[in-house]
């Protein structure tokens, strides 16, 4: 969609620069919020984790799906998620607010439901499921959209961050929730599938 400037020259409604600025503000703001929550959590000896961490297969645990990615086991745990969240969140936001919210929402929901259904039984916290979901979204959307630019970005991201995908396998240490990683990844793929262009959904006659 184009707008007409006063001098008669067209311009896009939402420039790449404005989306980039918005992406940095949203992704950076979300991570800043996580640090504020973690600071309060540390001051209370991580009492928030015991109250709002995700407990698998419990009725109350369904509500914990909404809160567990906002909490972390310790500062190092948060630091390990912070940079990927900013990078992946920023890159997804470049495609627009609706795309970002859809990818984040499905990653959040997929991660939480998977932990609730097949988690090991302890309390799960952390935003790594969101990291995996946004990463998976960025990896597969180019193929669904038939976009060589997005496929090229996926290749670069895979070369840099591809090793983290091992986190979806049940071979990690007991302190790693591979269930959250697997569910987040599935959510990211579903979001990319749902957001693919209409012409890619129905074959030409």
């Amino acid at each position: 969609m184009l707008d007409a400037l006063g001098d008669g020259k067209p311009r896009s409604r939402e420039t790449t620069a404005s989306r980039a600025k918005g992406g940095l503000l949203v992704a950076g703001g979300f991570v800043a919020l996580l640090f504020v929550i973690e600071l309060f959590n540390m001051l209370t000896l991580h009492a928030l984790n015991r109250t709002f961490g995700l407990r698998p297969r419990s009725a109350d645990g369904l509500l914990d799906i909404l809160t567990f990615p906002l909490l972390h086991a310790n500062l190092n745990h948060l630091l390990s998620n912070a940079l990927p969240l900013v990078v992946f969140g920023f890159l997804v936001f470049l495609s627009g607010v609706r795309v970002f919210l859809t990818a984040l929402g499905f990653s959040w929901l997929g991660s939480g439901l998977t932990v609730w259904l097949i988690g090991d039984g302890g309390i799960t916290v952390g935003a790594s499921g969101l990291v995996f979901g946004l990463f998976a979204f960025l990896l597969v959307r180019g193929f669904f959209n038939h976009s060589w630019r997005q496929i090229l970005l996926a290749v670069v991201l895979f070369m840099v961050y591809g090793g983290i995908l091992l986190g979806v396998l049940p071979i990690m240490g007991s302190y790693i929730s591979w269930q959250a990683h697997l569910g987040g990844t599935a959510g990211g793929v579903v979001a990319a599938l749902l957001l693919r262009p209409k012409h890619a959904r129905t074959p030409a006659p």
Side-chain angles (χ1 to χ4, degrees):
M1 184 70 69
L2 298 177
D3 283 338
L5 294 172
D7 57 4
K9 295 181 180 179
R11 68 177 182 182
S12 62
R13 286 186 183 274
E14 188 175 13
T15 65
T16 302
S18 65
R19 285 188 178 183
K21 180 179 179 180
L24 286 175
L25 287 174
V26 171
F30 180 67
V31 170
L33 174 64
L34 296 183
F35 275 101
V36 171
I37 293 173
E38 175 57 21
L39 177 60
F40 182 79
N41 210 5
M42 291 170 61
L43 293 175
T44 61
L45 302 179
H46 288 91
L48 293 180
N49 292 1
R50 296 187 291 274
T51 304
F52 299 106
L54 179 49
R55 292 152 290 174
R57 295 172 297 282
S58 68
D60 292 342
L62 287 172
L63 293 177
D64 298 332
I65 291 175
L66 302 176
T67 55
F68 85 100
L70 303 174
L71 306 168
H72 289 81
N74 50 54
L75 186 59
N76 286 335
H77 185 201
L78 174 54
L79 288 172
S80 69
N81 288 326
L83 181 59
L85 274 176
V86 172
V87 173
F88 300 154
F90 168 76
L91 291 173
V92 173
F93 197 93
L94 289 178
S95 294
V97 176
R98 182 177 70 91
V99 172
F100 173 78
L101 292 178
T102 302
L104 183 68
F106 274 89
S107 301
W108 198 308
L109 184 63
S111 176
L113 285 177
T114 303
V115 172
W116 190 86
L117 288 170
I118 63 173
D120 292 334
I123 294 177
T124 298
V125 294
S128 56
L130 307 184
V131 171
F132 275 74
L134 296 176
F135 183 47
F137 176 83
L138 291 168
L139 286 181
V140 304
R141 65 170 179 170
F143 297 96
F144 290 140
N145 296 345
H146 301 141
S147 169
W148 288 106
R149 184 181 63 178
Q150 291 178 355
I151 291 174
L152 179 60
L153 174 62
V155 171
V156 173
L157 288 174
F158 183 79
M159 292 174 63
V160 177
Y161 290 102
I164 71 173
L165 292 176
L166 292 174
V168 304
L169 301 176
I171 58 175
M172 308 300 291
S174 59
Y175 57 91
I176 299 294
S177 178
W178 62 268
Q179 297 93 339
H181 299 170
L182 178 63
T185 299
V189 172
V190 170
L193 184 63
L194 292 176
L195 290 170
R196 72 192 189 279
K198 291 183 178 180
H199 65 77
R201 299 181 190 182
T202 55

